[in-house]
Amino acid sequence: MAVPLLDLKLQYATIRREVRDAIDEVLDSQVCLNGPRLAALEAALADYCGCTGGLGVASGTDALLVTMMAMNLGPGDEVIVPAFTFFATCGSVSRMGATPVFVDIEPDSFNLNPAAVEAAITPRTRAIVPVHLFGQCADMTAIMAIADKHHLAVIEDAAQAIGAEHHGQRAGSFGAVGCLSFYPTKNLGAMGDAGMIVGNDSELLATCRIVRVHGDAGGYRHVRMGGNFRMDEIQAAALLVKLRHLDDWTAGRRRNAARYDERLAGVDGVVTPRIRPENSSVYNQYVIRAQRRDELKAHLAERQIGSAIYYPTGQHTQEVFASLGHGPDAFPQTQRAAAEVLALPIFPELTAGQIDEVADAIRAFYGA
């Protein structure tokens, strides 16, 4: 049977009436921006993430950029980022004129290696951006200790990890702020682009609020540079509906991951996701390490089974960062991950039969 990597239509079918009613209310009101639904979503998501405040923006990338603008990052500043991540993490640093300082990842979690973080700190370092990759928190206990020791800001890139926990504390609530993405493929996905900044630093969030609308402090009084980074009311309305279902969807992802873990146990050539005991993952992706990864991907495609590579290269090798002078082997764990990772279907609507279809195809490939 065919198994897609993701099928958003299945989820939408279960909430279609709720979403359409919520959007119709916005259209009937013609309050399209900065209205009651955005305010409600900001409060609800701040509470969900264990934070005191939230600020809706137009995308997860804008959440990072607005935060960095509010922190006045710029030329001469260094920001520590993982080499293994989506481009927005390091690209936002460069857009500020600051320098992304790449560091390697841990082989088991794919997240920032705290020892590498501390080794990369210089007098020019202003911030650390840990990414909670694939739905599992980075080692925030160690990272926050390093940040406190060196008086550095921490900006959590929690785009893939809404609801994930480290020692019972939720992603986004550790650092100065957490940045969320509601890109449609995320666990909590909008009807297009949307994002949010959550946090406990009321002064920083207030500055972000000004940056969000062209640096306007009210009454067309522009006190700093900003931009148009707003989330519209239609997205907020849809996300409020979806937020009511998020815990159930997360439970489905965890159930599916557990079945994969069981079915792929003992397959020589495959390493299933390693979730640390102090963490709880929300499985934005179910990512295995696979020997002969590209051959396996082709084998799955022949059987109409979807899979994807997140990510095929470390960000330090991107052409736009050539001036930083990193060779392709600068970060061995990043390069190894880029050669081995493969994401399998994990969306909550998957059936047990579909998971077995994927697992059987993998087992057959490796002769298990």
Side-chain angles (χ1 to χ4, degrees), residues 196-278:
M196 186 162 292
I197 303 166
V198 294
N200 298 307
D201 186 331
S202 58
E203 183 177 347
L204 178 58
L205 287 172
T207 303
C208 289
R209 190 172 295 276
I210 292 171
V211 170
R212 180 176 67 174
V213 189
H214 299 289
D216 188 351
Y220 296 100
R221 184 169 61 93
H222 299 270
V223 298
R224 61 187 301 130
M225 291 305 299
N228 181 0
F229 300 112
R230 296 172 298 200
M231 181 196 299
D232 64 63
E233 283 283 286
I234 285 177
Q235 300 299 348
L239 287 165
L240 278 169
V241 170
K242 288 190 166 190
L243 182 58
R244 296 197 292 264
H245 301 272
L246 180 58
D247 285 343
D248 288 339
W249 294 338
T250 298
R253 288 175 179 271
R254 288 172 174 159
R255 181 175 60 250
N256 293 343
R259 191 173 187 90
Y260 273 128
D261 288 347
E262 179 183 350
R263 291 300 322 281
L264 296 176
V267 177
D268 189 20
V270 170
V271 178
T272 54
R274 303 279 177 84
I275 309 303
R276 294 186 171 183
E278 69 271 21

Side-chain angles (χ1 to χ4, degrees), residues 291-308:
Q291 294 178 14
R292 296 185 289 139
R293 189 268 314 277
D294 295 345
E295 294 175 52
L296 173 61
K297 190 176 190 305
H299 171 81
L300 295 176
E302 288 173 1
R303 287 151 182 78
Q304 297 183 298
I305 294 172
S307 64

Side-chain angles (χ1 to χ4, degrees), residues 37 50 56 80 97 190 194 216 218 242 267 331 339 350 363:
R37 291 140 189 104
I80 294 174
D216 188 351
K242 288 190 166 190
V267 177
F331 306 106
L350 277 176
R363 295 180 70 88

Side-chain angles (χ1 to χ4, degrees), residues 298-357:
H299 171 81
L300 295 176
E302 288 173 1
R303 287 151 182 78
Q304 297 183 298
I305 294 172
S307 64
I309 299 170
Y310 305 108
Y311 300 96
T313 185
Q315 294 302 329
H316 64 290
T317 67
Q318 298 285 0
E319 292 178 40
V320 71
F321 296 125
S323 62
L324 298 179
H326 296 298
D329 301 324
F331 306 106
Q333 293 301 333
T334 291
Q335 289 305 96
R336 179 186 163 212
E340 295 180 351
V341 294
L342 189 67
L344 305 178
I346 189 64
F347 59 95
E349 295 79 19
L350 277 176
T351 67
Q354 287 176 311
I355 295 170
D356 289 345
E357 187 82 10

Side-chain angles (χ1 to χ4, degrees), residues 60-312:
T61 302
D62 283 352
L64 291 166
L65 188 60
V66 167
T67 298
M68 293 177 189
M69 292 177 74
M71 289 181 172
N72 296 313
L73 295 177
D77 294 331
E78 295 179 349
V79 179
I80 294 174
V81 297
F84 193 64
T85 184
F86 179 60
F87 181 81
T89 311
C90 43
S92 297
V93 175
S94 287
R95 285 178 68 182
M96 296 302 301
T99 301
V101 176
F102 294 107
V103 301
D104 214 349
I105 58 170
E106 299 174 318
D108 59 345
S109 70
F110 301 109
N111 285 324
L112 268 180
N113 184 329
V117 169
E118 185 144 36
I121 293 171
T122 76
R124 294 181 297 279
T125 306
R126 288 280 310 281
I128 305 168
V129 186
V131 179
H132 306 312
L133 205 63
F134 305 143
Q136 177 175 200
C137 286
D139 186 350
M140 294 308 296
T141 300
I143 291 170
M144 291 306 300
I146 293 167
D148 290 344
K149 175 182 174 182
H150 295 277
H151 308 290
L152 302 174
V154 173
I155 303 167
E156 293 177 69
D157 185 336
Q160 300 182 11
I162 185 168
E165 294 182 351
H166 173 74
H167 288 297
Q169 184 174 341
R170 285 199 161 167
S173 66
F174 293 89
V177 297
C179 297
L180 306 176
S181 169
F182 305 127
Y183 187 75
T185 61
K186 295 296 192 291
N187 293 25
L188 180 63
M191 300 294 142
D193 277 319
M196 186 162 292
I197 303 166
V198 294
N200 298 307
D201 186 331
S202 58
E203 183 177 347
L204 178 58
L205 287 172
T207 303
C208 289
R209 190 172 295 276
I210 292 171
V211 170
R212 180 176 67 174
V213 189
H214 299 289
D216 188 351
Y220 296 100
R221 184 169 61 93
H222 299 270
V223 298
R224 61 187 301 130
M225 291 305 299
N228 181 0
F229 300 112
R230 296 172 298 200
M231 181 196 299
D232 64 63
E233 283 283 286
I234 285 177
Q235 300 299 348
L239 287 165
L240 278 169
V241 170
K242 288 190 166 190
L243 182 58
R244 296 197 292 264
H245 301 272
L246 180 58
D247 285 343
D248 288 339
W249 294 338
T250 298
R253 288 175 179 271
R254 288 172 174 159
R255 181 175 60 250
N256 293 343
R259 191 173 187 90
Y260 273 128
D261 288 347
E262 179 183 350
R263 291 300 322 281
L264 296 176
V267 177
D268 189 20
V270 170
V271 178
T272 54
R274 303 279 177 84
I275 309 303
R276 294 186 171 183
E278 69 271 21
N279 288 344
S280 62
S281 177
V282 294
Y283 292 100
N284 178 245
Q285 305 291 349
Y286 185 90
V287 176
I288 62 172
R289 285 185 181 271
Q291 294 178 14
R292 296 185 289 139
R293 189 268 314 277
D294 295 345
E295 294 175 52
L296 173 61
K297 190 176 190 305
H299 171 81
L300 295 176
E302 288 173 1
R303 287 151 182 78
Q304 297 183 298
I305 294 172
S307 64
I309 299 170
Y310 305 108
Y311 300 96

